[in-house]
Amino acid sequence: MTSYYPPITYRVPPSEDGWLLKTILQKRMDVSRKLLSRLKMTDLGITLNGERVYISVKVSSGDQVQIRMEEETSEDILPQAIPFEILYEDGHLLVVNKAAGIIVHPTNGHYTETLANGVVHYWAEKGERVRFRPVHRLDQETSGVLVIAKNPYSHQHISEQMIAGTVDKRYAAFVHGVPAVPSGDIDGPIDRDPLEPHRRIVTPDGYPSLTRYEVKEVYPRAASRVELKLESGRTHQIRVHMSSIGCPLIGDGMYRHPLYARGQAAGGLVPLGGGEREAGLVLPGGESKEAELSPVEAAQLAEIAELDASIPRQALHAVRLSFRHPVTHADLVFEAPLPPDMALLQAKLRETAARE
């Protein structure tokens, strides 16, 4: 016997008397063509006043239109008891505060210890049959608010809001340097680095990408806290954009401060993220070239390296997410305070500021 999620209901108002059921489903309930096709294949997928009907019938004022989606599970995801923080949950959504260091979804070579494994286990313990559907992603080392849809309808609606630009995604970051102006837009197309495909770069031939930023706090020794708003969702977008304006994220081992590329004298090592890594200039073809730094640059690099070593990942946190609920249409706002490692970094920067 087919099991369904609770129905989503629409009551036909007098102004829509005589409309086709198909029109109600597409124009008022915003059911996508793909989902509509799936609903038509099940006995209770689409009902009018409790009865299964063709979508070509006309509706009357006061009629009750309901859609029901089949229950699903993520059979390819191994349930694991991995703790995570829940900010909100109902029959349609799960909003979590993702910890740094955890991957959202299993990938090749990394099938366990992900947020998906933990969420699937959590739902199984509750007796819920739900497929894991993250509406968006956060990098492994980025923490903060993440929304997961519990059915295809919710996933479709929030995804459409993101495409329309009505989802407000805000991030907090600590960066090296201070942007030239207190607030502004970084409008730079992003694509893969042809020399290192796992990296992204700003390039004229890339995909349109826009990040809005505002400086919230400035610290001595050229560091600042910024708030960022994403208007697009490219991989590594914030990290690439901030690096492109000379303000890379503190602790970011991939998009580092340009002084690292110049390196220290022959064989010099610069501490970063708790370990030592070579700081030679890497040229196309993999050759390295020593690049001496002036005393001023050497002192600056030492301060940069000290800050990078004070946090084991890029200092980036999804602090706020707001969107419209796909079913109730209520405006939802979710916030997550700075995690302990970023709070400690902020305290260190403020302590340094107080001494100077």
Side-chain angles (χ1 to χ4, degrees):
M1 181 178 178
T2 303
S3 298
Y4 298 89
Y5 295 120
I8 296 173
T9 302
Y10 181 81
R11 184 74 67 175
V12 178
S15 60
E16 295 165 10
D17 185 89
W19 283 26
L20 293 178
L21 176 56
K22 180 180 179 179
T23 303
I24 295 293
L25 292 166
Q26 293 183 326
K27 302 298 183 181
R28 289 295 178 261
M29 300 182 73
D30 297 321
V31 177
S32 68
R33 289 184 179 180
K34 181 179 179 180
L35 179 56
L36 184 59
S37 296
R38 292 178 60 182
L39 295 173
K40 288 163 61 178
M41 299 299 292
T42 60
D43 290 338
L44 297 179
I46 301 169
T47 61
L48 181 65
N49 300 322
E51 299 292 332
R52 184 181 184 185
V53 296
Y54 291 107
I55 62 173
S56 58
V57 303
K58 292 183 178 182
V59 300
S60 300
S61 174
D63 280 352
Q64 179 178 270
V65 179
Q66 291 185 319
I67 63 171
R68 292 174 177 82
M69 290 160 284
E70 293 180 280
E71 291 184 347
E72 301 174 279
T73 57
S74 295
E75 296 179 356
D76 57 336
I77 298 177
L78 177 69
Q80 289 180 290
I82 298 172
F84 60 92
E85 181 184 355
I86 297 175
L87 300 178
Y88 173 87
E89 185 177 19
D90 62 17
H92 308 281
L93 304 171
L94 172 65
V95 183
V96 305
N97 180 13
K98 187 186 90 68
I102 187 168
I103 295 174
V104 173
H105 200 285
T107 59
N108 290 334
H110 202 126
Y111 301 105
T112 59
E113 305 299 326
T114 71
L115 177 64
N117 298 114
V119 170
V120 168
H121 177 271
Y122 162 73
W123 281 333
E125 290 291 296
K126 291 177 61 181
E128 292 189 29
R129 291 173 50 83
V130 183
R131 180 179 171 186
F132 184 78
R133 284 186 174 87
V135 181
H136 59 115
R137 304 291 178 94
L138 294 176
D139 291 345
Q140 179 177 359
E141 299 302 337
T142 300
S143 54
V145 184
L146 178 78
V147 59
I148 301 161
K150 297 177 73 171
N151 57 60
Y153 184 84
S154 296
H155 188 277
Q156 169 207 324
H157 276 254
I158 303 175
S159 295
E160 288 175 350
Q161 290 179 52
M162 288 187 170
I163 293 172
T166 57
V167 173
D168 190 355
K169 294 185 286 185
R170 302 293 176 105
Y171 293 76
F174 293 93
V175 303
H176 293 293
V178 182
V181 293
S183 62
D185 296 346
I186 307 173
D187 189 356
I190 293 176
D191 205 347
R192 291 183 184 273
D193 185 336
L195 300 177
E196 299 179 80
H198 62 287
R199 287 169 50 91
R200 301 297 190 273
I201 57 173
V202 172
T203 172
D205 298 326
Y207 297 95
S209 308
L210 176 62
T211 302
R212 305 187 191 280
Y213 74 86
E214 181 179 357
V215 177
K216 292 296 186 180
E217 201 167 3
V218 176
Y219 312 101
R221 301 186 182 181
S224 55
R225 177 171 65 88
V226 295
E227 180 180 274
L228 304 116
K229 179 182 179 181
L230 287 182
E231 299 294 352
S232 52
R234 309 302 175 197
T235 300
H236 300 175
Q237 180 173 321
I238 288 175
R239 299 163 67 189
V240 173
H241 271 173
M242 293 308 296
S243 181
S244 74
I245 65 169
C247 297
L249 272 60
I250 293 174
D252 194 337
M254 181 174 291
Y255 303 99
R256 300 197 293 175
H257 194 284
L259 276 180
Y260 280 111
R262 300 217 16 232
Q264 291 180 327
L269 294 174
V270 178
L272 176 63
E276 290 187 331
R277 304 178 188 178
E278 295 182 7
L281 176 62
V282 178
L283 300 175
E287 299 177 8
S288 63
K289 176 182 177 182
E290 296 172 11
E292 298 241 359
L293 299 176
S294 69
V296 172
E297 290 173 326
Q300 183 183 0
L301 180 57
E303 292 176 349
I304 290 169
E306 180 183 356
L307 277 181
D308 281 336
S310 65
I311 186 168
R313 49 112 177 185
Q314 69 261 12
L316 181 62
H317 179 66
V319 69
R320 185 176 187 272
L321 183 70
S322 63
F323 57 92
R324 177 164 291 186
H325 194 287
V327 177
T328 69
H329 305 298
D331 292 328
L332 304 178
V333 180
F334 302 102
E335 296 183 342
L338 289 180
D341 58 354
M342 287 181 62
L344 285 173
L345 175 60
Q346 183 178 56
K348 177 178 180 178
L349 291 167
R350 287 175 172 174
E351 181 182 355
T352 303
R355 291 200 307 263
E356 298 186 0

